[in-house]
Amino acid sequence: MDDDSNPPLMATYKHLFVVDGHPHCLDAAGDRDDNHECALPVIDLALLDKVQSVDIVRAASEWGFFQVTNHGVPQALLRQLHDAQVAVFRRSFQHKVSERLLDFSPESYRWGTPTATCLEQLSWSEAYHIPMAPATGDKQRRTSSFSAVIEDVSTAMSELAQKLAAILTGGLGGDAKADETMHRCTRDTCFLRLNRYPPCAMGSGAAFGLCPHTDSDFLTILHQHDDHVGGLQLLKGGRWVAVKPDPSALIVNVGDLLQAWSNNVYRSVEHRVMANATVERFSVAFFLCPSYDTVIRPRSSSSRHGLYRSFTFGEYRKQIREDVRLTGRKLGLHRFRRLPPSSISS
Ligand SMILES: C=C1C[C@]23C[C@@]1(O)CC[C@H]2[C@@]12CC[C@H](O)[C@@](C)(C(=O)O1)[C@H]2[C@@H]3C(=O)O
Ligand SMILES: O=C(O)CCC(=O)C(=O)O
Ligand SMILES: [Fe+2]
C-alpha cells in the first residue's frame, strides 16, 4: 500500500478533537449501546412467495432495514468488485483527487466532510460516489475490467432493488401511480458508492466513519465486504444498535423517498458507521433513485392525510445540499412536511 494513499484526515480535522483547549470525543458514549448487536430480519429470496413479500413489507415498516440472502448478485462478482475497490483506494491521494476514476466525473471522489464545523459532523472516510448515467460522449465505459465490474454489479443490484421496490409499493395496495414513479428509476438514474473507512488513530468510536444520516433515495442495497469488521449501526427504538456483518447477505434499507411516498408506513431509518482504531473497512452501497424531474407524490389513504407535500427528486437533493452548506447537517424530509391545517392562517 502506498504510504501516501490515505487522505489527510488527521491533519485536516485534528482541531475538531479539541474544544476549549480540552480533548473532545463523540458523545456516542451517551447513547452507547454499540456493544449491542442486532439480528436484522433475514429474507431468503430463493423462497420468494407471498409469505416472503409480507415479511419484506413488515421489515420495511418495523425496521426500515433487513437482509436478503439468495439475492441474485453473484458472490464472485462482489469479490471482484472488492478487489478492484481496494486497488483503487490504494492509489496515492494525489492521484485520487486529481485524476478521474476511469471515465467518471472528477467530483466522484470525496473524503472527510468539507462542511464540518464540529466532530459530530465529520465522516472519517473516503468514497467514490458514482452516477450510473453515462457522461455525455462517454462510449468507453466498459474499456477497463473495473468499469465492467461496476456495470455488472450495478445492473444486478438495480434489478434486485426494483424487484424489492415493486413488492414494497405493491404491499400498500394497488396504486398505478406508484408503478409510474418506480418506473422512473432505471439503472442509469441510480448511484453506486464505494466507501473506505481508514483506521482512526484517535481510537475506536472516537469519530464517525459516516455520520448519522438517512439515505436520500427510494431503497439502498449495501454490501459489507468483511465478516470481521463491523461498524454499521442503526437507530432502533431510540437506541443505536450494531449490525453484525455478513458478506453473504445484502443489507436493504428504506430511503427518504419511499418513506415520503408511503406516508411514513415505511421508515427511512438513521444509521451511521463508527470509525475503528486499527482496521480499515470497505463497503459498497447502491442507491435506487429516480430521475431528478420525477415528482414524489405522497400517497394518501383513508386513515392518513398526506404528511408531505409533493416534490421532485431534484428539489429534494438541492435542498439537502443547501441545508448541509448552511447548517452542516441534512434536514431531510422535515423540510417537506405538510403543515397541519390548524397552523395555516387564513
Ligand atoms: C454532510 C452530509 C452529506 C450527506 C448528508 C450529511 O449530512 C451526512 C451524510 C452524507 C450522506 C452519506 C450517504 C449518501 O451518500 C448521502 C447522499 C446521504 O444521504 O447522506 C450523503 C449526503 C450528501 O452527500 O448530501
Ligand atoms: O458503510 C456502511 O456500512 C454504510 C454506508 C452508508 O450508509 C452509505 O453509503 O449511505
Ligand atoms: Fe447510508
Side-chain angles (χ1 to χ4, degrees):
M1 167 162 177
D2 278 348
D3 280 349
D4 60 356
S5 72
N6 275 320
L9 288 162
M10 193 59 90
T12 313
Y13 295 111
K14 199 168 194 292
H15 64 283
L16 298 181
F17 291 91
V18 179
V19 171
D20 295 334
H22 298 287
H24 175 63
C25 55
L26 284 179
D27 199 18
D31 50 36
R32 194 167 287 177
D33 225 356
D34 353 355
N35 294 329
H36 184 77
E37 265 187 357
C38 68
L40 287 181
V42 181
I43 318 277
D44 182 349
L45 295 182
L47 310 170
L48 193 54
D49 57 16
K50 250 206 148 71
V51 177
Q52 251 68 26
S53 301
V54 169
D55 289 348
I56 290 172
V57 166
R58 185 180 306 124
S61 44
E62 286 176 10
W63 285 78
F65 268 75
F66 55 95
Q67 298 192 83
V68 288
T69 53
N70 293 308
H71 42 68
V73 183
Q75 216 55 41
L77 191 59
L78 291 168
R79 168 61 40 201
Q80 274 178 43
L81 177 65
H82 173 64
D83 294 347
Q85 182 174 348
V86 172
V88 155
F89 281 116
R90 291 285 184 262
R91 299 175 316 160
S92 75
F93 174 65
Q94 268 324 310
H95 195 113
K96 289 183 279 195
V97 283
S98 56
E99 299 289 308
R100 298 174 115 214
L101 170 66
L102 308 169
D103 38 13
F104 304 122
S105 81
E107 308 85 63
S108 68
Y109 178 68
R110 291 146 189 218
W111 64 279
T113 310
T115 50
T117 54
C118 59
L119 190 54
E120 289 66 21
Q121 293 172 353
L122 171 64
S123 293
W124 194 269
S125 52
E126 55 179 338
Y128 281 98
H129 195 83
I130 306 169
M132 285 300 115
T136 345
D138 170 11
K139 296 270 187 296
Q140 303 151 21
R141 267 256 164 117
R142 297 193 68 109
T143 50
S144 78
S145 57
F146 183 39
S147 44
V149 171
I150 286 194
E151 294 238 338
D152 292 348
V153 169
S154 56
T155 302
M157 286 195 174
S158 170
E159 277 166 18
L160 172 62
Q162 311 243 17
K163 187 154 93 180
L164 294 170
I167 292 170
L168 288 169
T169 51
L172 297 191
D175 181 346
K177 286 271 178 255
D179 257 17
E180 249 171 56
T181 315
M182 288 305 156
H183 283 133
R184 302 198 50 121
C185 300
T186 68
R187 196 203 62 164
D188 283 358
T189 57
C190 296
F191 293 82
L192 192 75
R193 185 175 169 103
L194 307 176
N195 294 307
R196 174 177 177 261
Y197 304 94
C200 173
M202 299 305 281
S204 290
F208 293 125
L210 198 52
C211 56
H213 66 281
T214 57
D215 292 344
S216 310
D217 55 352
F218 271 114
L219 267 190
T220 305
I221 311 277
L222 180 77
H223 185 246
Q224 320 187 63
H225 293 296
D226 300 287
D227 57 2
H228 58 284
V229 196
L232 174 64
Q233 302 180 344
L234 61 92
L235 207 48
K236 174 87 181 131
R239 302 159 103 189
W240 288 101
V241 290
V243 176
K244 192 172 156 38
D246 176 357
S248 68
L250 292 171
I251 294 175
V252 181
N253 64 281
V254 170
D256 301 342
L257 301 186
L258 191 53
Q259 171 166 330
W261 175 81
S262 70
N263 219 7
N264 280 8
V265 173
Y266 298 129
R267 310 305 301 216
S268 179
V269 166
E270 240 188 307
H271 52 287
R272 66 187 188 184
V273 176
M274 300 311 292
N276 186 294
T278 51
V279 278
E280 62 181 344
R281 176 170 180 273
F282 294 91
S283 70
V284 51
F286 177 86
F287 299 104
L288 182 73
C289 300
S291 57
Y292 284 125
D293 61 354
T294 301
V295 180
I296 313 302
R297 234 175 239 107
R299 67 191 283 284
S300 49
S301 61
S302 48
S303 58
R304 244 191 220 176
H305 291 296
L307 294 170
Y308 304 97
R309 69 170 175 84
S310 297
F311 56 90
T312 66
F313 181 48
E315 205 182 328
Y316 192 59
R317 292 291 302 149
K318 188 163 166 244
Q319 186 65 59
I320 290 172
R321 263 199 311 277
E322 194 66 1
D323 290 338
V324 169
R325 190 175 66 79
L326 295 174
T327 69
R329 320 194 287 119
K330 163 177 168 180
L331 304 178
L333 284 180
H334 297 295
R335 283 276 191 197
F336 294 81
R337 275 198 90 104
R338 230 192 247 288
L339 294 172
S342 58
S343 67
I344 303 172
S345 53
S346 48

